[in-house]
Amino acid sequence: VKISASPNPRLACYIYTMPKETKKKGAKTAEAKTPRFYPADDLPPAKVKMVNNPCKLRASITPGTILILLSGRFRGKRVVFLKQLDSGLLLVTGPYAVNGVPIKRVNQAYVIATSQKVDLTGVKVPAIDDAYFAREAEEKAEDDEGVFSAAKAGGSGPSEQRKTDQAALDKAMMGSIKKTEMLEAYLQAKFSLKNGDKPHEMVF
């Protein structure tokens, strides 16, 4: 500590000064200062593993059960349930020879299960999986017409394999449908509601 007298003689006081600290060469720099603000997310986002587990099939839906479609192009039509695919979707058909509904996949959330069934004993369901419905890659046309070309105007349509499977399935199912009186007319009839109908009180 260095003590020095005040330059003003009238003031009997002393000024105490502390020696300045000298920085040593090669000394480590001070630690980084703590930021004033914290990041918005303290923890990294958790990685969620997406697993496609097929939904459980409703107890009211069994092979041969007649379902009513509630959405899509064929809404209101009655179809026959064949089996559940690995993706959880339902494989159904009209049959096509009866009401024009081909072999297709539907979500069980958009169907009504009825108490009527079609006996599928002896009916061989084709080996159909989800890959069966995958669309084939279309080749781009080399001409300048693009989307207005005649080939695209008509659409690709069903493949020959689908036509063969549909015809074989319809033929096998028609024998069972003919055995039950009025069953073919029931499949052809379209479901609809009128004024005053109460769906929650109906027994399908």
Side-chain angles (χ1 to χ4, degrees):
V1 178
K2 184 179 180 181
I3 304 175
S4 60
S6 174
N8 192 347
R10 295 181 181 181
L11 298 177
C13 63
Y14 296 91
I15 300 173
Y16 295 87
T17 59
M18 299 295 291
K20 296 181 179 180
E21 295 182 357
T22 57
K23 294 183 179 180
K24 296 181 180 180
K25 294 182 179 180
K28 296 182 179 179
T29 57
E31 297 180 358
K33 294 183 179 180
T34 305
R36 295 178 59 188
F37 304 100
Y38 289 98
D41 298 326
D42 294 337
L43 299 176
K47 295 182 179 180
V48 180
K49 186 177 181 181
M50 301 298 293
V51 180
N52 185 16
N53 293 324
C55 55
K56 185 179 180 182
L57 187 65
R58 298 206 308 249
S60 59
I61 302 177
T62 56
T65 301
I66 296 180
L67 309 175
I68 300 174
L69 301 181
L70 300 179
S71 66
R73 182 175 135 201
F74 299 103
R75 58 183 174 273
K77 294 269 190 176
R78 291 178 170 88
V79 294
V80 181
F81 169 68
L82 302 176
K83 65 177 182 179
Q84 186 180 26
L85 302 175
D86 295 336
S87 61
L89 299 177
L90 310 182
L91 183 67
V92 299
T93 185
Y96 184 80
V98 176
N99 54 19
V101 181
I103 300 174
K104 66 189 310 288
R105 298 176 298 176
V106 295
N107 192 324
Q108 65 174 337
Y110 302 103
V111 299
I112 296 176
T114 66
S115 57
Q116 189 66 36
K117 295 187 66 174
V118 175
D119 186 12
L120 297 181
T121 304
V123 177
K124 184 180 179 181
V125 179
I128 296 176
D129 54 5
D130 293 293
Y132 181 85
F133 297 95
R135 293 185 179 181
E136 298 179 358
E138 297 180 359
E139 297 181 358
K140 294 184 178 180
E142 297 181 358
D143 56 359
D144 298 334
E145 295 181 0
V147 295
F148 301 103
S149 61
K152 292 186 178 181
S156 58
S159 62
E160 294 298 327
Q161 181 64 33
R162 285 202 190 187
K163 293 179 181 180
T164 303
D165 294 340
Q166 185 72 67
L169 189 59
D170 287 0
K171 184 178 179 181
M173 293 179 64
M174 286 304 296
S176 179
I177 294 174
K178 294 287 187 182
K179 293 179 182 178
T180 305
E181 186 179 1
M182 299 295 294
L183 184 57
E184 185 176 358
Y186 176 73
L187 289 170
Q188 291 174 346
K190 193 172 183 180
F191 174 78
S192 61
L193 294 174
K194 299 179 181 179
N195 292 336
D197 291 344
K198 299 178 181 179
H200 59 282
E201 295 181 356
M202 294 182 178
V203 178
F204 295 96

